[in-house]
Amino acid sequence: MNKMLIPILFALGTAVFWGCYGPTIGNAQAPRIDGKPLLPPDGWTPFKPYVFIGIAYLVIAIAGGLAMMKLKGDSFDYFAPVPGVEGASHFMTAKWGFLAGALGAFGALCLTTAMMTSRGNALLVMPIVFGGAVSITAIVSIIKLRGHGPLEINPLLWVGMGLTVVGVVLVAMNTPHGHAAKKPVAPATDTIATTDAAAQEADQEKPESAEAS
């Protein structure tokens, strides 16, 4: 149990951070006028906050990664061969790390766009993201493991995927939606002034009508 505690804690940390990611990026949506997002140049698109998502990745991943590599005594050589393992080199870390980062970046772009276009509705978007991610991970793992030989799949896996879809649909259908902002009501003084002006115009038209008759 002690050996599994650290990965479980980090997995929970991932859930916490990514769970907060959606609501946080939802705050960066463009202001809306009459229910429509304000477009450039006065407003902005989802790509504008996405740039600073990338900057955050660069700062935290590169600075943090290099610091931890130094702390753990890691090698900074990404091309050195691995002794005793034929065909293996440290370049694997660069290749697969970049690919995983690219997938994460595209995922962040999709999530950011989803949050922007859903008016920051994290209760709708995030269940789809996490529910779908679990199923995709299982499918990719099955495809990967099948390349190493026969694989027995427990039918409960498909039951779990089905329940995930049902859960996502239930959450999406029952997500509370905000109401559109009410149109501003004209002050009472403006209403009275408008009424008085209309009455004065009517009084001025009466003598003209009488003269014409």
Side-chain angles (χ1 to χ4, degrees):
M1 179 62 183
N2 292 334
K3 293 182 178 180
M4 296 300 297
L5 181 60
I6 292 179
I8 289 174
L9 289 176
F10 274 95
L12 290 174
T14 304
V16 170
F17 288 125
W18 274 93
C20 295
Y21 176 89
T24 301
I25 196 62
N27 295 325
Q29 61 180 314
R32 291 179 176 269
I33 297 179
D34 295 331
K36 297 181 179 179
L38 193 60
L39 299 177
D42 297 325
W44 56 83
T45 67
F47 296 101
K48 197 161 191 175
Y50 182 68
V51 170
F52 272 82
I53 294 173
I55 292 176
Y57 279 177
L58 284 173
V59 172
I60 296 174
I62 294 180
L66 291 174
M68 291 305 297
M69 285 174 64
K70 180 67 175 179
L71 181 64
K72 296 293 185 179
D74 212 338
S75 169
F76 291 93
D77 188 352
Y78 279 89
F79 297 95
V82 178
V85 182
E86 185 179 356
S89 72
H90 287 240
F91 182 71
M92 294 174 59
T93 60
K95 179 179 69 175
W96 292 108
F98 183 83
L99 179 59
L103 292 172
F106 282 120
L109 176 60
C110 292
L111 180 54
T112 302
T113 305
M115 291 299 301
M116 298 294 105
T117 54
S118 68
R119 302 187 181 186
N121 195 340
L123 294 177
L124 170 65
V125 174
M126 298 309 288
I128 298 175
V129 171
F130 285 108
V134 171
S135 300
I136 295 297
T137 299
I139 293 172
V140 172
S141 298
I142 291 172
I143 295 173
K144 184 178 179 180
L145 292 174
R146 275 185 172 173
H148 298 282
L151 181 66
E152 293 184 4
I153 301 175
N154 193 320
L156 290 178
L157 173 65
W158 310 114
V159 175
M161 287 186 181
L163 291 175
T164 300
V165 174
V166 172
V168 169
V169 172
L170 288 175
V171 172
M173 290 178 61
N174 295 280
T175 297
H177 301 282
H179 298 286
K182 295 182 179 180
K183 294 183 178 180
V185 180
T189 54
D190 293 346
T191 305
I192 295 173
T194 304
T195 305
D196 292 342
Q200 290 177 2
E201 291 179 0
D203 293 339
Q204 291 176 358
E205 291 177 357
K206 286 181 180 179
E208 294 178 358
S209 301
E211 291 176 0
S213 60

